[in-house]
Amino acid sequence: MSSDSRNFIFIVDNFERAVFFERFSRSLKYMGVTAIYLTGCYQTYRYLSSIGRSVFHLGKKNQVAVGENATDVCKSIEVLTHDISAKQAVKLANIYKLNLSEITFPAESIVVSWNGHQLISLVCQSFFKENYNYAYKFMEISNLPGKLFVDSKGVNAASSLCLSPELIDDYSLVNEGVHAQWLLAYQKSKQGVIGQAKNIKALPIDRIKYSLIGRIKGYESAFDFTNLICPSWLRSKLSRRVNLARVIGTSQPNLPHKYVLYPMQVSSDTQILINGAGYDNDSAIQYCIDNFSSNYKVVVKPHPAEKNLSCFLAIYEKYNDRVLFVLNDTNKLIEDSSHVVTINSTVGLEAMIQGIAITVLGESLYKGFDRRRLLKYIHGYLVGGVDYFSQDPLSIDLIYRP
């Protein structure tokens, strides 16, 4: 990808992402770069329009027949997590594609998307591959403080790093002293409040107004509107204590001297659904029992954001007499464990950072890391100096990065 490109297309799946991508604007203006924003969310469209951005609303209501679409909509996050049905996704995909066909795009551009699994991103990728020879950049939070994952192929198992792990060997190995300092800061950050909670702000009245207008006009989906009033992470927090503490209890039991830890992932986690290699929480716990119970006690930590109570209850009732379910602090559980088993959660990466042996059952970019590759990933491959939840301007060099 040439750094001479002067056109960028940002695929904006929600308002939060609009705020993040807009942080590039100062750098874009300084370098004379043209940016186009594409969104299916009406409130996001109005926000970007109000600050003078070149934005197109792909969710404009058009009379489109619901038919076959080249995009595999069933792989979108919205369908996998049952936020919308496959039929609704096909209809939206056709609306997005029709609106895309009416836009004149530049011959050369770099397309920037958040993780690439959202419906609008899948549709845009399909459309651009059919009609243009664009380069791509996919971004995602790394879950390591101040670091962002950026890749030209995708994120997680779809990334170029996962497809070709040897790519990381070209990065320089950081000084052990530098890593030790970073590790202290990392451990301190794990004791803080999650980024979302630190950034709870009053809902701007314009967002609510635009979303209401969009709902009335048929531009804004019920999913987008609900997510504005009560974001998914907040809904998870509100339901967490009812779903877990009531079943397990709030006491923190004494842990065995030797135990293998399985931190559950959210049952609707797209990383399980897309890259789980056939594993879910149920089969992962059974794997732990089959392979570790003769030498270790199996300790299971439910995910605090789990929303499916019936799914969790089924697992709890099935395994409660064979494993120990706890709600103890995850960081402490990892630190004191002998081994950590995960499908593909970033908890596995956190265990590696703490020097704990891990088993990864699904597909994950860190699955084959040794310590050298782990350090190169943290200090070389990941883009540093980026706080996703801040308002600080971002350099366009993030996108130009190989």
Side-chain angles (χ1 to χ4, degrees), residues 358-372:
I358 68 167
T359 296
V360 182
L361 302 176
E363 298 301 324
S364 173
L365 61 88
Y366 63 83
K367 189 172 186 175
F369 281 5
D370 55 17
R371 191 171 186 279
R372 286 176 64 87

Side-chain angles (χ1 to χ4, degrees), residues 65-96 119 122-123:
V66 178
E68 294 298 322
N69 190 281
T71 305
D72 191 355
V73 297
C74 291
K75 292 182 178 179
S76 69
I77 288 176
E78 297 91 335
V79 174
L80 290 173
T81 55
H82 307 292
D83 288 317
I84 61 175
S85 68
K87 184 177 180 179
Q88 289 172 313
V90 170
K91 182 177 181 179
L92 275 174
N94 279 288
I95 291 173
Y96 291 161
L119 178 63
L122 292 174
V123 174

Side-chain angles (χ1 to χ4, degrees), residues 244-245 248-253 300-302 325-330 333:
L244 300 177
I248 297 174
T250 56
S251 62
Q252 298 185 358
V300 176
K301 167 67 185 288
F325 285 91
V326 299
L327 294 178
N328 302 41
D329 176 69
T330 302
L333 286 171

Side-chain angles (χ1 to χ4, degrees), residues 70-348:
T71 305
D72 191 355
V73 297
C74 291
K75 292 182 178 179
S76 69
I77 288 176
E78 297 91 335
V79 174
L80 290 173
T81 55
H82 307 292
D83 288 317
I84 61 175
S85 68
K87 184 177 180 179
Q88 289 172 313
V90 170
K91 182 177 181 179
L92 275 174
N94 279 288
I95 291 173
Y96 291 161
K97 196 165 186 179
L98 177 63
N99 285 304
L100 281 168
S101 68
E102 296 176 350
I103 302 170
T104 301
F105 292 100
E108 293 185 7
S109 284
I110 298 170
V111 178
V112 183
S113 176
W114 192 257
N115 82 35
H117 295 308
Q118 298 88 357
L119 178 63
I120 189 170
S121 182
L122 292 174
V123 174
C124 288
Q125 290 176 62
S126 174
F127 176 81
F128 289 139
K129 285 176 182 176
E130 290 176 9
N131 300 281
Y132 299 89
N133 186 29
Y134 287 163
Y136 290 83
K137 283 294 180 180
F138 299 90
M139 299 181 178
E140 190 163 67
I141 295 175
S142 70
N143 286 329
L144 298 181
K147 294 185 179 291
L148 187 73
F149 186 89
V150 182
D151 192 272
S152 60
K153 297 291 185 183
V155 301
N156 300 306
S159 67
S160 57
L161 182 57
C162 191
L163 298 172
S164 303
E166 67 279 1
L167 292 174
I168 207 167
D169 296 330
D170 293 334
Y171 290 85
S172 300
L173 191 63
V174 72
N175 180 279
E176 285 289 349
V178 172
H179 178 66
Q181 288 183 338
W182 176 86
L183 187 58
L184 286 173
Y186 167 75
Q187 291 170 337
K188 185 177 180 180
S189 75
K190 297 300 290 181
Q191 300 170 5
V193 185
I194 61 171
Q196 294 99 320
K198 288 189 294 184
N199 286 270
I200 297 175
K201 297 179 180 179
L203 285 171
I205 191 66
D206 281 348
R207 283 192 65 190
I208 299 177
K209 179 180 72 175
Y210 294 150
S211 193
L212 282 169
I213 293 171
R215 284 292 292 146
I216 293 169
K217 291 185 174 182
Y219 293 161
E220 191 85 307
S221 69
F223 170 65
D224 284 329
F225 182 72
T226 302
N227 207 43
L228 165 66
I229 302 303
C230 188
S232 57
W233 65 266
L234 181 57
R235 295 197 300 271
S236 298
K237 287 294 277 187
L238 292 173
S239 63
R240 173 170 67 96
R241 292 177 183 172
V242 175
N243 287 359
L244 300 177
R246 181 189 294 178
V247 178
I248 297 174
T250 56
S251 62
Q252 298 185 358
N254 293 324
L255 296 172
H257 177 62
K258 292 173 60 179
Y259 64 87
V260 59
L261 173 67
Y262 176 67
M264 294 177 67
Q265 292 175 234
V266 175
S267 57
S268 60
D269 185 350
T270 52
Q271 285 313 304
I272 293 181
L273 301 174
I274 296 173
N275 300 314
Y279 281 95
D280 57 13
N281 285 315
D282 188 328
S283 55
I285 294 173
Q286 187 62 55
Y287 175 92
C288 293
I289 294 171
D290 294 341
N291 291 273
F292 292 97
S293 59
S294 59
N295 297 311
Y296 301 95
K297 180 68 176 179
V298 177
V299 173
V300 176
K301 167 67 185 288
H303 197 288
E306 180 58 65
K307 294 182 288 184
N308 191 331
L309 178 59
S310 61
C311 181
F312 173 71
L313 282 175
I315 291 175
Y316 181 78
E317 292 170 1
K318 181 177 181 180
Y319 293 109
N320 188 39
D321 60 341
R322 289 183 283 172
V323 306
L324 179 62
F325 285 91
V326 299
L327 294 178
N328 302 41
D329 176 69
T330 302
N331 301 311
K332 185 63 175 172
L333 286 171
I334 294 172
E335 181 182 332
D336 294 338
S337 68
S338 301
H339 199 107
V340 171
V341 175
T342 182
I343 298 177
N344 48 23
S345 168
T346 53
V347 172

Side-chain angles (χ1 to χ4, degrees), residues 368-386:
F369 281 5
D370 55 17
R371 191 171 186 279
R372 286 176 64 87
R373 283 185 172 177
L374 175 65
L375 265 59
K376 289 183 176 185
Y377 172 73
I378 294 171
H379 300 286
Y381 192 85
L382 294 178
V383 179
V386 180

